[in-house]
Amino acid sequence: MIEHSLADIAQALASRRISSVELTALYLDRIGRLDPQLNAFITVDRERSLAQARAADERLARGDTQPLTGIPIAHKDIFCAKDWRTTCGSKMLDNFVSPYDATVISRFQQAGAVLLGKTNMDEFAMGSSTETSFHGPTANPWALDRVPGGSSGGSAAAVAARLAPAATGTDTGGSIRQPAALCNLSGMKPTYGVVSRYGMIAFASSLDQAGPLARSAADCALLLNCMAGFDERDSTSLDRPREDFARELTAAAGGRPLAGLRIGLPEQFFGEGCSPDVMQLIEAAIAEYRQLGAETVPLSLPNMGLSVAAYYVIAPAEASSNLARFDGVRYGYRAPAYDDLTDMYCKTRAQGFGAEVKRRILIGTYVLSHGYYDAYYLQAQRIRRLIADDFAEAFRQCDVVLGPTSPSTAFRLGEKAADPVQMYLSDIYTIAVNLAGLPAMSIPCGFAGGLPAGLQLIGNYFTEARLLDIAHRYQQVTDWHRQCPAGHA
Amino acid sequence: MAPSRGCGGKNFYDTLYGSPVYHLSDFVTMSLTLDQVHRIAHLARIEVDETEARSTLGQLNEIFGLIETMQAIDTQGVAPMAHAQDLAQRLRPDCVTENDQLAWRSAFQAIAPEAEAGLYLVPRVIE
Amino acid sequence: MKHWEVVIGIETHVQLSTASKIFSGSSTAFGAAPNLQANAVDIALPGVLPVLNKAAVECAIRFGLAVGGEVAAKSIFARKNYFYPDLPKGYQISQYELPVVRGGGLPIQFGENEKLISLTRAHLEEDAGKSLHEGLGPTAQGRSGIDLNRAGTPLLEIVSEPDMRSAVEAVAYARALHALVRWIGICDGNMQEGSFRCDANVSVRPAGEVRLGTRREIKNLNSFRFLQQAIDYEVQWQIATIEDGGSIEQATVLFDPASGETRAMRSKEDAHDYRYFPDPDLLPLIIDRQWVEQVRAGLPELPAARRERLIADCGLSAYDARVLTASLDLANYYEATVVAAGRKNAKICANWVMVDLAARLNREDREIGQSPVSATQLGGLIARIADGTISTSMARKVFDELCNSGHSSSADEIIARQGLQQISDDSALTALIDDLLAANPGMVAEFRSGKEKAFNALVGQVMKATRGQANPQRVSELLRRKLG
């Protein structure tokens, strides 16, 4: 069952070959057995999950089903879930039991999915390795001494290790795609505004977007069908007609299904920054796409080189303000001893936040402070525009942009932890997409030294269904995405 | 702020993208002072001791080295982009949507560090 | 001694009369138990997001139109970042670079003078919660209590140019603004409840100096009297400080009504670095012309236009017109009275509303909206005075009856029921006078010997005999003819 697609699991549930309780227990047992070495989950609540599974079984018995009814899904601990501890990977929220559900969580509840547990993540989603979590790092199931990527590393490790059929993540600068790449998963960051941000603890509001992490593009489509949709509680949520993201996945394999597809290859993705073994896999994937009928178009995203710089102004600026609410007054951590109000704030925040979060708050505070706003924040927003314009130009020449997701395979735990700048540069291929607000995917494209690598596909706004189809076509003719890490079958 | 040149000898975009794009040494970068670290830490209400401030200073300067690459770009006439979509704010009808406030208050204050008689308590506020 | 010029600009926080908060669906009603009107958005739980209330925007448009300002086609919400326990998000959502209203002006009157105060801007923002220091339980010693019911209440912050030159002008401005926001229905104007709060920026400079002196900002003045007292104190303090060789440092100060003094606030230490930036959770506010025109069509006639019209149509003096347009309710009441009494009686109506009714309302501490007598009732009464049915002194009795009738009777009913009609019928009056003259030969003799006083006494006798119902003018005429 653990290798089945979500569609197959749904069929098994619908035909009563397995119950949701059995399925949920199976995964909970696997978590109990395998998670101690991975640390992919922050919170597992067996009884609560099984209760949801029982409710799902009742719905299944009534025939009141949706595609995800009864399927256990792991959620990144950034989503508020009513009565579940929601820590965002931080000591600041270690005792925070959410009184309400995020929109994403409610949508899964309404679909009858089972909440399997809350997954580990970089603290407040700030990181690319899941090492900044207050709950300790998550290991990569492909090599336990390596990082799973981040910030959605817990979700990625959990799905890769078959501790969950699928999971949610969030992506501010690559936090779904990079862990997908490092853990051999398919992951998608939708167009900004497609998935509601209500109840998703904010890191950088203008960049944050939730999306699926799963074992295939087809699974991602089913998850996205559940997650996406207009939400009147989020002013940046897009009011668009409902869409079936799996609609283009129905055609059978064979022939040249992607004939006429123009794949853009930006020179900035193919320089020396990428490790040669990863680049080789990308080249092989391009060859595969040509086999499927696609043609390739060389192009340039001239300002992409500035994306990391612009991102490390915009994201910390927004974060410094978003995280001001963690002040020890209404919820969360409060320092045990202090002199007065100001001291309570300073100690609460010094003790409640980890080093990386504090670093980014300080960067953000500085770039917004008097006298520096124009030079940093406004300049970064102008560069953001240039980057978005580069993509707009690219999509006049091609249908989809292709390149590596991450410049390397999974690095060792601790390897970059002491060097923030090196860590930030792990996201050089993913950040521009968030700045522009575009949809993008990472899908498995092979292994280098036993470690998975990811292929990134970037589409124009609202082309999620097309992207999923392009990924799905590749997965029909390759089996990289079916590989399972040793010891987790 | 003291102007200084270059950025720790690193040239990120040379190594990352192969072809040289911008040479950091081509323009002036700024570096923070310890006083500024203390000032922004206080603005952000994060206590830092002297040792932390010193190590933070080094890291921030390295990060600002990365950020400063932006400054070489002429963006005159480019409109700042604050949002991914060029849309207008949606407006909510003026309706009170809350009910059962007593239950909600209990739920909210059950997770509060210190609350009494419906109020959140903090060390005395001096105006 | 040098002559000093005082320069005052005022920022006013006007709570907008919406049912729900500016970014959440919580009620804005005043006076609920602590934190019962603070939902997940208001207490800033992790993950919650703001959505803008349309009615708050409409209030801003109304104001912009009323002061002749420019309603921005596009405005932006920005975050003002600072830490304070009554500010749950650690930032206030406000507007900074692109406010919803720019420019405009407000005419003020003080004494015989008139002046136009220019407005810089008006922007939308959210109110903060409240910190309570008194009345906490025994376990809350040394603590402050935070009530977030007010957090998120929509505010329009109206910023004037530094156009005022005295506390009197400042108060006149505040009063005019207070009247206007109530007139256009965007604020209930309840100052005790904090619906209308002023911050006064005060500086002094030697007369003739062009540059502005350093200003101090007096925060949160919630009565006209405090505004006056605080500015008076602040001005004399600043002048004394400078004349003693000191200098003024920019500061935020509080006014203590008990001592009548101002003192610098301690909590505003990093007030000068709010790190404003556009709120990424909110998109640009776009107001199209069509919406503006729709709002314009729904605006009541504004006070200045109303005054002009009352002067032209009702023949009122400028003073009367100003008094009767102090509020929209009063102006509407007055005009309804005129409708009931007839336009030719507009001047009598003005006197009755401004004198008799005003005294009654004052005595009972009521607003015009709670008048014990309706405009139709009062107009009906005035019509009977004008057509001579009753005398003015009788009318006062009828007025009192009307006030006590709970809006149930008309003046005509009371007059008929109590037989208060004036007796103007010559044959009835002549018969009365004949009897009177026959019974009082002494007084007749006195009059004939030239004592005018005796004539008045004779009129008085007739009035007394008719319990005031005789038409005194007619009585005099008939009496003179008889004695002639």
Side-chain angles (χ1 to χ4, degrees), chain A residues 82-428:
Chain A
K82 190 168 165 36
D83 299 331
W84 286 76
R85 190 165 72 121
T86 300
T87 75
C88 219
S90 182
K91 179 180 180 182
M92 189 59 94
L93 290 177
D94 197 38
N95 61 2
F96 179 72
V97 177
S98 176
Y100 80 107
D101 275 331
T103 298
V104 163
I105 298 290
S106 336
R107 296 185 75 98
F108 276 104
Q109 305 279 25
Q110 279 154 20
V114 173
L115 204 171
L116 184 60
K118 306 292 293 291
T119 60
N120 203 4
M121 55 182 286
D122 280 299
E123 184 181 7
F124 286 105
M126 296 179 194
S128 308
S129 66
T130 316
E131 292 171 289
T132 70
S133 171
F134 173 64
H135 307 279
T138 296
N140 189 322
W142 291 91
L144 297 178
D145 61 340
R146 290 182 186 263
V147 303
S151 66
S152 311
S155 284
V159 178
R162 277 58 174 168
L163 304 187
T168 56
T170 62
D171 190 318
T172 304
S175 283
I176 289 174
R177 290 161 288 156
Q178 186 252 16
L182 271 44
C183 290
N184 204 46
L185 297 178
S186 303
M188 169 174 266
K189 181 204 96 73
T191 304
Y192 181 87
V194 162
V195 177
S196 168
R197 293 186 298 114
Y198 191 82
M200 188 178 115
I201 299 175
F203 161 17
S205 313
S206 77
L207 305 169
D208 295 341
Q209 184 63 197
L213 272 158
R215 281 175 289 112
S216 69
D219 284 1
C220 283
L222 287 187
L223 289 178
L224 192 58
N225 274 346
C226 180
M227 297 171 80
F230 173 64
D231 180 7
E232 59 182 16
R233 289 176 299 182
D234 174 1
S235 295
T236 61
S237 168
L238 298 168
D239 194 357
R240 292 169 56 80
R242 296 263 330 134
E243 190 176 348
D244 176 9
F245 294 102
R247 66 183 182 272
E248 299 193 26
L249 309 185
T250 49
R256 290 165 57 82
L258 296 180
L261 179 75
R262 295 168 303 161
I263 295 178
L265 305 175
E267 58 176 297
Q268 288 77 7
F269 275 136
F270 295 89
E272 286 169 18
C274 188
S275 78
D277 46 359
V278 170
M279 192 44 74
Q280 225 176 341
L281 298 169
I282 302 296
E283 298 289 357
I286 294 169
E288 195 71 60
Y289 269 113
R290 290 200 182 102
Q291 291 286 312
L292 289 166
E295 53 182 287
T296 55
V297 183
L299 51 81
S300 180
L301 298 167
N303 294 289
M304 203 188 111
L306 295 163
S307 60
V308 178
Y311 177 86
Y312 277 97
V313 171
I314 293 169
E318 294 183 6
S320 69
S321 178
N322 284 335
L323 271 59
R325 69 188 59 197
F326 303 107
D327 58 3
V329 174
R330 297 164 314 286
Y331 47 76
Y333 180 77
R334 179 189 282 196
Y338 46 80
D339 300 332
D340 57 17
L341 179 67
T342 301
D343 196 44
M344 184 196 90
Y345 284 147
C346 293
K347 288 201 160 69
T348 294
R349 292 166 59 80
Q351 295 162 20
F353 291 136
E356 180 60 25
V357 170
K358 286 192 258 190
R359 195 146 50 228
R360 297 205 197 185
I361 291 174
L362 295 181
I363 295 169
T365 304
Y366 180 72
V367 299
L368 290 177
S369 67
H370 188 67
Y372 305 107
Y373 178 82
D374 286 10
Y376 290 115
Y377 191 76
L378 269 191
Q379 176 72 351
Q381 287 202 327
R382 292 197 170 99
I383 286 172
R384 183 177 183 182
R385 170 86 58 197
L386 294 177
I387 290 166
D389 289 350
D390 283 355
F391 277 110
E393 177 53 34
F395 288 120
R396 277 189 274 274
Q397 301 165 45
C398 68
D399 304 307
V400 61
V401 167
L402 181 152
T405 304
S406 168
S408 70
T409 54
F411 46 92
R412 288 199 161 72
L413 283 161
E415 187 179 327
K416 298 185 181 179
D419 187 346
V421 168
Q422 281 311 306
M423 188 70 88
Y424 296 174
L425 294 171
S426 313
D427 294 331
I428 49 166

Side-chain angles (χ1 to χ4, degrees), chain C residues 287-422:
Chain C
I287 299 172
D288 60 27
R289 285 324 297 172
Q290 204 189 337
W291 190 12
V292 174
E293 291 316 312
Q294 214 177 307
V295 173
R296 194 195 303 276
L299 267 183
E301 186 183 20
L302 294 172
R306 191 82 174 248
R307 276 194 286 278
E308 293 305 314
R309 194 165 57 73
L310 291 185
I311 292 168
D313 292 6
C314 300
L316 299 189
S317 69
Y319 174 82
D320 288 358
R322 198 195 303 166
V323 172
L324 290 169
T325 54
S327 76
L328 182 61
D329 282 349
L330 182 60
N332 286 345
Y333 185 98
Y334 168 69
E335 290 208 76
T337 309
V338 171
V339 167
R343 171 135 307 172
K344 61 182 190 303
N345 301 320
K347 187 79 185 98
I348 318 176
C349 289
N351 289 336
W352 271 86
V353 172
M354 289 166 60
V355 181
D356 299 86
L357 179 61
R360 178 94 190 188
L361 293 176
N362 218 12
R363 198 162 61 235
E364 296 177 8
D365 195 22
R366 292 190 197 217
E367 296 286 320
I368 186 72
Q370 310 145 344
S371 168
V373 51
S374 73
T376 315
Q377 286 176 308
L378 182 59
L381 173 62
I382 290 165
R384 296 291 84 82
I385 302 168
D387 69 12
T389 306
I390 54 170
S391 65
T392 301
S393 59
M394 272 301 153
R396 297 219 162 82
K397 284 186 193 158
V398 178
F399 179 74
D400 287 340
E401 288 285 329
L402 283 173
C403 286
N404 299 332
S405 73
H407 292 206
S408 63
S409 332
S410 68
D412 286 343
E413 286 163 7
I414 292 170
I415 292 166
R417 192 160 62 230
Q418 305 200 357
L420 300 176
Q421 296 93 330
Q422 200 159 241

